């Protein structure tokens, strides 16, 4: 939806403007990339398509677009346009990426060039939700390369989304036979199992009073206005009543980073806007991230900033010292690049239990602070990846979960650092989405992000990953997979499915595991209002679920008392339906704290509910720490 008159551009519009500048000298006309006669190669640096690939590997997308445009202007060969297409796809410009790939097809002279360009075109069409057109491109690849496993696997997923199971089976048979990697064969076989018998499931039942109790909902953005609010992140001190939450806040007429502190276990909140650091002249800032230093009691909240006029982006963090107020934000990074989704974590330094490392991960990679957020290392590039979620285990090892940017369908990966973020090890694949897109599989016209959420059990380091995927056409479920060998191998994903889930969708999950090993999950759900995926608006609820047996069974409860619509709250950038891309949840003192957006009387608010666990033993004593008991009481 176009922004209202006078509204600030959205983050995606700012990104498009910056890509425009990086592509100077080139325009898109009639579905092809052409040279603009008023400009030329002189406006770029030296031409080198390989430089664009190197920049993409560093996550420097704008610089990569510039380098690829330079190569196109200087030579204009088919491989140059193909590289430009990949850069534009990474910059989330699928329409222009498609034009670049098709221009490459026009100029390609051999089969290898054609196949490469058609692969890119298929990805761009999938990003545009044009599944039938993507299937046509994939069929042309199969004509040139009859046993191409990638094309057959994608065709199977497209047929699955359309409910064409028989045609999907054929493509799966070829993909499983022809795949030259274990990951490729596993994906084909897993999808085949879903088609033939359905995924294995975990048990999900309604919670009862012995599972947990819910405190009344409290408004987190207590002094907020009537503009949009979404995308929550929250953290808590394990042995305290102090909780810190962050979110995107629109009360000032533009997206800002909202933050709130509760010192009474979520009953009441004191909120404010976190101002950007000095020297950052951004009009838009948000994308909240939070972390806690359990050793010192310090809490952190931060985000990213988007200047409209300047081709820059920034990352910043504010610290709340133990017992003190939230301090001013300090700069983590600023540069002429696209900056996107940040998350953070804090934990002990490797082999130094009395030292803390704070980690921030975002589109340019990983940065580390050893002085409580005062100073930061330069970004350590992790490649062309997105949604990097850091977690720190009790020994100080850092784990990074993410998905590949520009690759559709998504695949989730995990990497590990054993030296405090100075370097990271090789990636292992966690999960391969069976769907080619979630947005068309749920009611309403809002973005459904592909983010998954992983957490580790602090008792033994077991890893768990929850994500949304399509089991059958139009049915979006949550899936759980786990690893007991540090992420080297993962179990077959199990679906969360009950009778209520069969005709509804669950998505945007967030997972946490507390010190006792109890798992906590929060997510969006459509089950409480009968609705069709083609409906213009969705009716939504927020649900919470918990497991005490390593994810084998779950007890769940509805957090929202009434369903709320996907429309009714106009975010300051004019987007009528935008729920954000993720939810937040924290744990502390035998409690969990889901924090989530709702629409109330036509405007968005941020709410929280305390989930209380009373682990009552037969002798009448109560303890939130199950490890404190080593036997049954009489």
């Amino acid at each position: 939806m176009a922004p209202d008159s006078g509204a600030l551009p959205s983050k995606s519009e700012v990104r498009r403007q910056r890509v425009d500048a990086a592509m100077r000298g080139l325009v898109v006309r009639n579905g092809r990339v052409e040279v603009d006669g008023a400009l030329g190669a002189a406006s770029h640096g030296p031409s080198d398509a390989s430089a664009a690939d190197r920049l993409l590997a560093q996550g420097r997308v704008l610089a990569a677009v510039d380098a690829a445009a330079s190569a196109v202007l200087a030579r204009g060969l088919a491989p140059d346009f193909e590289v430009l297409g990949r850069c534009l796809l990474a910059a989330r410009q699928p329409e222009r990426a498609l034009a670049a790939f098709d221009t490459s097809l026009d100029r390609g002279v051999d089969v290898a060039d054609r196949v490469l360009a058609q692969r890119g075109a298929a990805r761009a069409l999938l990003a545009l939700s044009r599944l039938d057109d993507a299937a046509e491109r994939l069929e042309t690849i199969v004509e040139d390369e009859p046993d191409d496993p990638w094309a057959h696997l994608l065709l199977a997923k497209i047929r699955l989304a359309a409910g064409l199971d028989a045609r999907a089976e054929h493509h799966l048979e070829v993909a499983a036979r022809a795949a030259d990697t274990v990951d490729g064969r596993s994906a084909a076989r897993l999808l085949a199992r879903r088609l033939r018998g359905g995924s294995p499931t975990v048990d999900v039942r309604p919670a009862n009073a012995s599972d947990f109790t819910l405190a009344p909902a409290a408004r987190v953005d207590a002094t907020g206005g009537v503009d949009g609010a979404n995308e929550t992140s929250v953290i808590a001190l394990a042995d305290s009543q102090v909780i810190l939450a962050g979110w995107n806040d629109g009360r000032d007429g533009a997206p800002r980073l909202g933050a709130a502190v509760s010192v009474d276990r979520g009953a009441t909140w004191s909120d404010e806007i976190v101002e950007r650091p000095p020297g950052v002249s951004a009009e838009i800032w948000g994308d909240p991230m939070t972390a806690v230093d359990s050793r010192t009691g310090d809490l952190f909240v931060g985000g990213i900033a988007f200047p409209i006029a300047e081709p820059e982006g920034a990352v910043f963090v504010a610290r709340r010292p133990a017992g003190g107020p939230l301090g001013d934000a300090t700069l983590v990074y600023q540069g002429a690049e696209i900056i996107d989704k940040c998350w953070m974590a804090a934990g002990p330094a490797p082999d130094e239990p009395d030292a803390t490392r704070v980690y921030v991960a975002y589109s340019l990679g990983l940065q580390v602070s050893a002085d409580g957020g005062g100073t930061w290392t330069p970004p350590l590039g992790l490649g062309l990846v997105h949604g990097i979620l850091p977690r720190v285990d009790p020994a100080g090892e850092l784990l990074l979960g993410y998905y590949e940017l520009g690759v559709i369908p998504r695949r989730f990966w995990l990497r590990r650092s054993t030296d405090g973020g100075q370097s990271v090890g090789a990636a292992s694949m966690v999960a391969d989405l069976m769907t080619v897109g979630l947005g068309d599989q749920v009611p309403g016209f809002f973005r459904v992000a592909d983010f998954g959420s992983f957490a580790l059990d602090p008792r033994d380091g077991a890893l768990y990953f929850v994500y949304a995927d399509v089991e059958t056409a139009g049915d979006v479920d949550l899936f759980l997979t786990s690893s007991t060998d540090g992420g080297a191998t993962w179990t077959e994903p199990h679906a969360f499915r009950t009778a209520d889930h069969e005709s509804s969708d669950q998505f945007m999950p967030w997972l946490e595991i507390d010190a006792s090993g109890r798992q906590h999950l929060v997510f969006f759900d459509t089950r409480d209002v009968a609705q069709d995926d083609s409906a213009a608006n969705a009716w939504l609820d927020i649900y919470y679920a918990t497991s005490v047996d390593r994810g084998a069974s779950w007890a769940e409860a509805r957090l929202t008392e009434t369903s709320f619509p996907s429309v009714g709250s106009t975010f300051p950038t004019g987007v009528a339906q935008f729920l954000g891309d993720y939810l937040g949840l924290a744990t502390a003192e035998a409690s969990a704290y889901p924090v989530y957006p709702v629409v109330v009387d036509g405007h968005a608010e941020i709410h929280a509910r305390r989930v209380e666990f009373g682990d009552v033993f037969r002798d009448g004593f109560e303890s939130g720490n199950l490890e404190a008991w080593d036997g049954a009481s009489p």
Side-chain angles (χ1 to χ4, degrees), residues 403 407-410 412 433 435-439 447-453 465 467-468 581:
Y403 66 75
V407 176
I408 301 171
R410 304 295 188 202
F412 295 101
L433 261 68
T435 181
V436 293
L438 295 171
R447 185 169 70 199
V448 182
D450 293 317
F451 294 137
S453 180
F465 182 74
Y467 62 100
D581 292 331

Side-chain angles (χ1 to χ4, degrees), residues 26-258:
L26 297 175
V27 295
V28 175
R29 293 193 185 99
N30 301 318
R32 298 294 186 272
V33 175
E34 300 177 1
V35 175
D36 186 343
L39 297 169
S43 63
H44 291 265
S47 61
D48 185 355
S50 62
D53 278 322
R54 291 194 297 270
L55 291 163
L56 278 181
Q58 298 167 13
R60 298 179 58 193
V61 175
L62 276 182
V65 172
D66 185 283
S70 175
V72 165
L73 286 163
R75 301 189 310 175
L77 301 178
D80 301 322
F81 284 98
E82 190 275 334
V83 172
L84 177 63
R86 284 191 284 111
C87 294
L88 291 169
L89 201 54
R92 301 189 190 181
Q93 303 296 307
E95 302 96 337
R96 289 193 278 193
L98 179 61
F101 289 127
D102 280 341
T103 310
S104 177
L105 280 168
D106 292 342
R107 304 190 180 203
V109 295
D110 57 33
V111 170
D113 284 345
R114 290 201 306 272
V115 168
L116 207 57
Q118 289 287 29
R119 282 173 180 264
R123 288 191 174 109
L125 289 163
L126 288 173
L128 293 166
S129 296
R130 293 169 55 183
L131 271 60
D132 290 341
D133 292 334
E136 288 184 11
R137 301 301 185 101
L138 293 166
E139 294 286 5
T140 65
I141 293 175
V142 171
E143 290 175 6
D144 285 328
E145 300 285 349
D147 292 328
D148 187 304
W150 179 87
H152 280 288
L153 186 58
L154 266 184
L155 281 166
K157 293 180 179 183
I158 292 171
R159 303 310 184 201
L160 174 65
L164 302 174
D165 294 1
R167 296 181 67 182
E169 285 276 13
H170 162 71
H171 293 296
L172 284 172
E173 290 174 3
V174 179
R177 182 177 66 248
D180 58 0
T181 67
V182 172
D183 289 343
R185 289 191 294 273
S186 297
R189 289 168 182 162
L190 179 59
L191 185 53
R193 170 165 176 157
R194 289 199 189 176
L195 285 170
R196 293 163 188 159
S199 300
T201 62
V202 296
D203 175 51
V204 185
R205 61 172 175 81
N208 53 50
S210 64
D211 293 311
F212 53 80
T213 58
L214 293 173
R219 185 169 180 181
V220 176
D221 56 335
T223 62
V226 296
D227 276 317
N230 50 56
E231 295 192 341
T232 59
S233 181
V234 59
I235 203 73
L237 282 169
D239 57 353
S240 168
Q241 299 188 34
V242 180
I243 313 162
L244 173 64
W247 65 93
N248 289 337
D249 192 294
R251 73 184 70 180
D252 291 335
R256 299 284 188 263
L257 176 62

Side-chain angles (χ1 to χ4, degrees), residues 7 31 47 91 97 105 140 158 178 227 267 275 282 318 354 413 436 441 505 530 532 542 568 607 621 634:
S47 61
L105 280 168
T140 65
I158 292 171
D227 276 317
E275 292 296 332
D354 295 328
W413 300 83
V436 293
Q441 306 283 315
D505 301 309
D532 189 83
I542 305 295
H607 287 190
F621 286 90

